[in-house]
Amino acid sequence: MADYKSTLNLPDTGFPMRGNLAQREPERLQTWQDKNLYQRIRDARVGRTRYVLHDGPPYANGDIHIGHAVNKILKDMIVKSRTLNGEDAPYVPGWDCHGLPIEHQVEKKLGKVGVKVEADEFRRACREFALGQIDNQRKDFVRLGVLGDWDDPYLTMKFETEANIVRALGKIIDNGHVTRGSKPVHWCTDCGSALAEAEVEYRDKTSPAIDVRFPAVDEDAFVAAMSLEGENAGEGPISVMIWTTTPWTLPANLAVALNPADEYVLVQVDDERLLLAEALAEEALKRYGVETYHVVARAPGSALENLRMSHPFYDRESVMVLGDYVTLDAGTGAVHTAPGHGQDDFDTGIKYGLEIYNPVGDDGCFLPSTELFAGEHVFKANDHIVEVLKQRNALMHVEKFDHSYPHCWRHKTPIIFRATPQWFISMDKVGLRETAMSEIRKVRWVPSWGQARIESMIENRPDWCISRQRYWGVPITLFMHRETQELHPRTSELIEAVAQRIEKEGIQAWFSLDPKELLGDDIDDYLKVGDTLDVWFDSGTTHFSVLQRDPRTHFPADMYLEGSDQHRGWFHSSLLASCAMHGCAPYKQVLTHGFTVDARGMKMSKSVGNVIAPIKVTKTLGADILRLWVAATDYSGEMSISDEILKRTADSYRRIRNTIRFLLANTNDFEPAEHLVAADEMLALDRWIVGETLKLQNELKQIYDDYLFHIAVQKIHNFCSETLGGYYLDVIKDRQYTTRADSQARRSCQSAQYHITEAMTRWIAPILSFTADEIWEHMPGQRDELGVFIAEWYEGLFDYADDEVESGDWAAIDQVRTEVNRRLEVLRQEGQIGGSLDAEVSIATDQALIDSLQTVGDELRFVMITSATQVKPLAESRAGDAVRLADGNRVLVEAVPSEHAKCVRCWHHRADVGSHADHPELCGRCVENVDGLGEQRRYA
RNA sequence: CGCUUCGUAGCUCAGUGUGAAGAGCACUCGGCUGAUAACCGGGAGGUCAGUGGUUCGAAUCCACUCGAAGCGACCA
């Protein structure tokens, strides 16, 4: 047998089947860095429409986890898809550098400030620590294939940024939003300092639960407010019963709160009358050991507002107030209220104009002015207070009570709520809430429920407390009058003077500042504020410190993109700060992604052991697999990840990779400049596939514009599997391999494959960045060494239009193909044929379909990948066995093994095999292709 | 406990009022050996979380239940 294999044009490529990503991606990263890829993309897009995705700064502490990876990869995909659109989409990464968690880390090493280390040195250590963390995170972000200005990120601790944070505060003060006031904060008496929410953990604690009498000042007023049950209102002193688990807050009591909607009853017990919530009366009285009682009057809580009681052991009054937060879970339905010791109590206090009274000092002991309990530590005072209540006959009952109670996460000791002076950004003083609410409506929220979420938060939130009593933070650079507590009249000017110093020396400039330098003679009257700013203020003002200052960006940003928790975090703080400074939102669009969970939808936690580390994935499967997972997952909800999911992702990666590999292998000898066949000279099927490619490309443009990456992945993958693998590429193999290398028949399908490769490589570039860049190097033709990332959407595709074979005809042919395959499978199972070329088929169908099938004439057999294909009217066959297709046509496929000899070259079974003396094993077509001018094809 | 979001084949996702629920992957059976640790074909697989309702008709709208996640509350 002659060797005809060498006369075939078989696929050949240096593009490997397996990506070996874990090993080869780092090498590719190095080349990107060597050629300064990011900067050169910037240069290439100068003057184009700019699209600024402003990076939400991750906190500079700890290794990156899968959530970081999702966030950065999504950002990168958006930036790259905008670049693909031809836009100038810079990416300036950032880090959030100040704040508590870093202080904790440094404290672990150096010890507490003021004890083992001076504040100045401590801050230096914090700065150094943050820098190390940034380097560590940066290398991991880069490894994920995220392109950005990694050499010059923005850091909230850069001197310049620190100065601008201070200026931002100045601007908000100038605009009249900043106020000073008291606020109850979590206070650890062991730390001697306020705790952030994150430092609080809830643990079980046993407390004394006491029921206390609050005697009515004016009994008649009570009776008058209520409706009588019987003939009279009973007799004896009236007491409102309260229940509390924190006796030590009673010295600060100023009110008793009732639920306005609940029903309260006045109960006659022996010779006194008690006020209780009706729903809790029986249980409470049982607790007091009361057996006989009767209700003498009742009223809803709302009727009792503003009535007055005597404080149980002080000579002052306590007022009846109303609060929706009062519940009937436990107690008496009447809540002892100390505005200085609780959030609800504080809010109520503000509402009723009560003093925010706090008799407790920093050390957790009652202030010297506190009657009866001066100097006692609050928790130790509990017993004393119970004792006093007993003496005054105010105590009705006492028992042990187990409940969950806030504790300091470091000391594991119970903490207290305590009002302290703080700085606030007022929500309503100058209409900040209103501005923010109206700005929210101008922003595009993706998904749309993000809007409702942030609206409800802005609507309900209290004033923003921006002061912290910390070391590692941007200082609140204010001078306050010692007597009047007023800000210095030259505050604006002073802030700018301080900012200029911070610009040169960092925040330490403020802490080291001798106020005299700035204040001169005012020094005696003014106090230098020692508080630092809430870290959310740092990141919340990056629209000012970065977007408005950095020439690489602009304000407002086109996009903020973070996890859904940031509606309370960065989206929120940025909106408020921007509205307070500029009166508008800092972003045009906000995109939210969900959290990563495991295969069962459970959140990842170290203790459960279901954590997947992104860097581990890059080291095993490669960053492109992780990127593909991010892209393929619908980020609007929870994002599941597990080993199986990653394995499936790797499978679908291989499908895409191999499809492109085949395209490259088939165009190995193709030089577009020389061989590209003009559209109107290409075969119909080849023009058709280019048209399909264009259709998909147009869909993808829209899909990328809508940030629906998971839809893009589905479509691209489906295109590879179905349209290409299962149809087009399968059909053209014969022509690709067997026609003459330089024939129009072959160059035509190579041209189509070339167009597809050009287009598809760009499609996947935002997602499979490493792979797309690798493909680019193997693609035919001369191309830019900057690779795929500089490319814009491929313009070489064209619509399909044909007078003979219409688009609908191809669709019809494809439908029939499925029926042919079904029939061939039966023969195969019966052992009658192996490959489909062993068979000859006969298609009996309705006239409409016959017309479609015959548009491609004899070449139908190539489309069906059979040795012979015949079409005939259904009437000439057993019409009853026909199946009905989706379009209504009936079709019956008959198939038999071909009786003809098999051509050793093209494997078709043809009658003319052996008819040529020089090539006894070949069919006529192959003889023509080997020795003659080559066969002509028109359609397929 | 409250608010918000989500729950479609083993996996990732389409479908959001009307033809008997779709795709790819995985699985399974088979083919090819000229994409070969690749490729092609056939097949099986779902009471659309559950229950009840609105409707001629619901995976799709409403209510409740269960499960998950985020945020908040955990308080007297």
Side-chain angles (χ1 to χ4, degrees), chain A residues 318-364:
Chain A
S318 191
V319 64
M320 195 79 88
V321 297
L322 302 176
D324 292 327
Y325 58 89
V326 176
T327 61
L328 301 178
D329 308 333
T332 60
V335 176
H336 139 63
T337 297
H341 290 307
Q343 187 62 51
D344 284 336
D345 295 17
F346 173 78
D347 295 340
T348 303
I350 295 291
K351 192 171 151 199
Y352 284 88
L354 303 175
E355 183 189 351
I356 308 305
Y357 176 53
N358 164 45
V360 179
D362 289 1
D363 54 0

XYZ file of all heavy atoms in Angstrom, chain A residues 318-364:
340
model
N -37.672 59.840 87.576
C -37.419 59.065 86.375
C -38.690 59.167 85.545
O -39.790 59.077 86.080
C -37.148 57.624 86.784
O -36.651 56.867 85.709
N -38.526 59.361 84.239
C -39.702 59.650 83.416
C -40.099 58.429 82.568
O -39.257 57.610 82.198
C -39.430 60.881 82.511
C -38.317 60.579 81.523
C -40.692 61.319 81.783
N -41.382 58.315 82.309
C -41.874 57.205 81.499
C -41.735 57.580 80.020
O -42.244 58.602 79.576
C -43.345 56.934 81.805
C -43.832 55.609 81.296
S -43.308 54.275 82.392
C -44.678 54.249 83.560
N -41.027 56.726 79.278
C -40.816 56.990 77.853
C -41.296 55.773 77.043
O -41.629 54.733 77.619
C -39.323 57.254 77.545
C -38.842 58.499 78.265
C -38.482 56.038 77.933
N -41.342 55.945 75.735
C -41.830 54.867 74.879
C -40.748 54.423 73.905
O -39.967 55.240 73.412
C -43.056 55.328 74.086
C -44.225 55.822 74.929
C -45.343 56.344 74.028
C -44.748 54.716 75.837
N -40.722 53.119 73.642
C -39.745 52.623 72.666
C -40.246 51.338 72.007
O -40.675 50.406 72.683
N -40.176 51.315 70.679
C -40.626 50.119 69.945
C -39.760 48.914 70.247
O -40.149 47.781 70.031
C -40.568 50.374 68.423
C -41.606 51.405 68.017
O -42.670 51.430 68.662
O -41.336 52.170 67.080
N -38.551 49.183 70.692
C -37.609 48.084 70.921
C -37.936 47.288 72.181
O -37.368 46.227 72.414
C -36.183 48.632 71.010
C -36.005 49.670 72.102
C -35.652 49.278 73.397
C -36.215 51.028 71.846
C -35.512 50.220 74.405
C -36.079 51.973 72.846
C -35.718 51.571 74.126
O -35.596 52.488 75.127
N -38.842 47.802 73.006
C -39.209 47.074 74.221
C -40.041 45.853 73.828
O -41.028 45.964 73.107
C -40.029 47.975 75.176
C -40.500 47.177 76.390
C -39.196 49.175 75.602
N -39.589 44.692 74.295
C -40.274 43.460 73.918
C -40.833 42.758 75.137
O -40.563 43.149 76.276
C -39.312 42.486 73.218
O -38.274 42.159 74.143
C -38.707 43.108 71.972
N -41.598 41.728 74.896
C -42.220 40.988 75.988
C -41.604 39.597 76.138
O -42.261 38.651 76.537
C -43.730 40.884 75.734
C -44.454 42.243 75.618
C -45.929 42.050 75.312
C -44.294 43.054 76.906
N -40.312 39.481 75.799
C -39.645 38.173 75.920
C -39.441 37.798 77.374
O -39.553 36.657 77.769
C -38.236 38.198 75.294
C -38.268 38.730 73.896
O -39.323 38.586 73.254
O -37.242 39.275 73.451
N -39.055 38.779 78.147
C -38.694 38.495 79.527
C -38.881 39.762 80.346
O -39.011 40.845 79.791
C -37.236 38.051 79.606
N -38.877 39.631 81.668
C -38.951 40.811 82.522
C -40.375 41.216 82.824
O -41.236 40.372 83.091
N -40.573 42.534 82.739
C -41.864 43.067 83.168
C -42.525 43.901 82.095
O -43.635 44.387 82.268
C -41.656 43.993 84.384
O -40.785 45.067 83.982
C -41.032 43.232 85.546
N -41.834 44.094 80.986
C -42.370 44.951 79.928
C -42.074 46.416 80.168
O -42.443 47.273 79.375
N -41.409 46.703 81.282
C -40.989 48.080 81.573
C -39.468 48.050 81.708
O -38.928 47.314 82.524
C -41.630 48.578 82.859
N -38.793 48.839 80.856
C -37.344 48.722 80.770
C -36.655 49.921 81.409
O -36.872 51.067 81.019
C -36.904 48.595 79.294
C -35.388 48.577 79.189
C -37.494 47.330 78.691
N -35.830 49.624 82.372
C -35.006 50.651 83.011
C -34.091 51.254 81.961
O -33.454 50.541 81.187
C -34.225 49.996 84.155
C -32.815 50.420 84.288
N -32.466 51.719 84.574
C -31.653 49.721 84.188
C -31.133 51.792 84.626
N -30.629 50.587 84.393
N -34.053 52.572 81.920
C -33.360 53.242 80.822
C -32.303 54.205 81.343
O -32.618 55.115 82.119
C -34.397 53.995 79.946
O -35.276 53.030 79.384
C -33.725 54.785 78.845
N -31.046 53.950 80.900
C -29.928 54.817 81.274
C -29.251 55.269 79.984
O -28.481 54.523 79.395
C -28.942 54.069 82.167
N -29.528 56.466 79.529
C -29.041 56.904 78.208
C -27.523 56.821 78.058
O -27.025 56.725 76.949
C -29.523 58.354 78.123
C -30.699 58.415 79.028
C -30.392 57.472 80.160
N -26.807 56.823 79.155
C -25.360 56.752 79.067
C -24.830 55.341 78.965
O -23.635 55.128 78.836
N -25.717 54.354 79.009
C -25.236 52.973 79.093
C -25.837 52.010 78.077
O -25.770 50.796 78.268
C -25.486 52.420 80.502
C -24.612 53.032 81.540
N -23.245 53.080 81.432
C -24.912 53.632 82.721
C -22.740 53.679 82.509
N -23.736 54.036 83.304
N -26.415 52.508 77.022
C -26.950 51.580 76.023
C -27.372 52.310 74.768
O -27.744 53.478 74.823
N -27.296 51.613 73.643
C -27.608 52.254 72.375
C -29.086 52.657 72.300
O -29.403 53.796 71.984
C -27.261 51.326 71.207
C -27.403 51.981 69.838
C -26.453 53.167 69.661
O -25.255 53.063 69.906
N -26.991 54.299 69.254
N -29.974 51.717 72.612
C -31.404 52.044 72.573
C -31.717 53.143 73.569
O -32.474 54.076 73.286
C -32.245 50.803 72.918
C -32.307 49.808 71.755
O -32.126 50.251 70.597
O -32.522 48.620 72.011
N -31.133 52.999 74.737
C -31.371 53.976 75.793
C -30.874 55.357 75.373
O -31.504 56.378 75.640
C -30.640 53.563 77.083
C -31.194 52.270 77.662
O -31.895 51.549 76.924
O -30.917 51.989 78.835
N -29.735 55.344 74.693
C -29.148 56.590 74.206
C -30.092 57.254 73.203
O -30.406 58.440 73.304
C -27.805 56.293 73.546
C -27.178 57.468 72.861
C -26.537 58.447 73.592
C -27.226 57.595 71.480
C -25.951 59.540 72.966
C -26.649 58.680 70.845
C -26.010 59.663 71.592
N -30.570 56.450 72.238
C -31.471 56.993 71.221
C -32.728 57.573 71.863
O -33.199 58.646 71.501
C -31.869 55.892 70.224
C -30.663 55.405 69.416
O -29.666 56.157 69.357
O -30.721 54.295 68.869
N -33.246 56.823 72.830
C -34.440 57.292 73.529
C -34.130 58.573 74.292
O -34.923 59.518 74.293
C -34.926 56.208 74.516
O -35.166 55.008 73.783
C -36.194 56.638 75.220
N -32.965 58.588 74.922
C -32.560 59.773 75.675
C -32.520 61.003 74.789
O -33.005 62.076 75.162
N -31.930 60.840 73.607
C -31.865 61.955 72.665
C -33.277 62.417 72.315
O -33.585 63.610 72.301
C -31.130 61.511 71.366
C -29.672 61.178 71.656
C -31.252 62.569 70.278
C -28.807 62.346 72.027
N -34.129 61.427 72.057
C -35.493 61.734 71.628
C -36.256 62.520 72.696
O -37.004 63.443 72.387
C -36.219 60.413 71.342
C -37.536 60.569 70.615
C -38.068 59.207 70.182
C -39.588 59.217 70.117
N -40.132 57.852 70.141
N -36.044 62.147 73.965
C -36.779 62.806 75.041
C -35.989 63.933 75.694
O -36.390 64.465 76.713
C -37.188 61.772 76.097
C -38.357 60.916 75.653
C -38.154 59.754 74.928
C -39.667 61.309 75.934
C -39.221 58.976 74.503
C -40.742 60.546 75.521
C -40.529 59.380 74.807
O -41.585 58.629 74.391
N -34.849 64.249 75.113
C -34.055 65.355 75.636
C -33.461 65.078 77.008
O -33.240 65.985 77.800
N -33.178 63.807 77.284
C -32.579 63.471 78.574
C -31.077 63.686 78.519
O -30.476 63.670 77.441
C -32.859 62.000 78.911
C -34.326 61.583 78.943
C -34.428 60.081 79.179
C -35.071 62.349 80.024
N -30.494 63.850 79.669
C -29.048 63.992 79.745
C -28.402 62.642 79.414
O -28.919 61.585 79.789
C -28.662 64.403 81.173
C -27.181 64.635 81.334
C -26.790 64.821 82.815
O -27.704 64.939 83.665
O -25.580 64.823 83.086
N -27.276 62.693 78.670
C -26.551 61.448 78.434
C -25.626 61.281 79.629
O -24.458 61.656 79.598
C -25.761 61.512 77.104
C -26.662 61.942 75.956
C -25.107 60.158 76.816
C -27.909 61.092 75.756
N -26.195 60.749 80.681
C -25.530 60.748 81.978
C -24.689 59.495 82.168
O -25.173 58.379 82.033
C -26.594 60.849 83.074
C -26.058 60.753 84.462
C -25.008 61.585 84.887
C -26.591 59.839 85.379
C -24.522 61.484 86.172
C -26.114 59.749 86.675
C -25.071 60.568 87.059
O -24.577 60.476 88.337
N -23.407 59.726 82.457
C -22.523 58.591 82.664
C -21.685 58.810 83.899
O -20.732 59.584 83.891
C -21.607 58.412 81.443
C -20.445 57.505 81.774
O -20.627 56.466 82.392
N -19.252 57.928 81.391
N -22.010 58.136 84.996
C -21.249 58.309 86.240
C -20.053 57.372 86.363
O -19.466 57.275 87.433
C -22.294 57.999 87.319
C -23.203 56.995 86.667
C -23.176 57.244 85.176
N -19.694 56.672 85.249
C -18.623 55.672 85.333
C -17.358 56.196 84.651
O -17.414 56.709 83.537
C -19.063 54.352 84.671
C -17.939 53.314 84.726
C -20.325 53.817 85.346
N -16.221 56.037 85.335
C -14.951 56.515 84.781
C -14.282 55.505 83.868
O -14.772 54.389 83.676
N -13.122 55.910 83.305
C -12.380 55.063 82.376
C -12.028 53.698 82.971
O -11.937 52.698 82.271
C -11.051 55.730 81.988
C -11.257 56.922 81.088
O -12.435 57.232 80.796
O -10.246 57.530 80.685
N -11.803 53.691 84.274
C -11.353 52.460 84.923
C -12.514 51.558 85.334
O -12.331 50.540 85.982
C -10.519 52.808 86.161
C -11.275 53.731 87.110
O -12.441 54.090 86.790
O -10.717 54.084 88.151
N -13.750 51.958 84.975
C -14.900 51.130 85.293
C -15.415 51.365 86.707
O -16.242 50.603 87.191
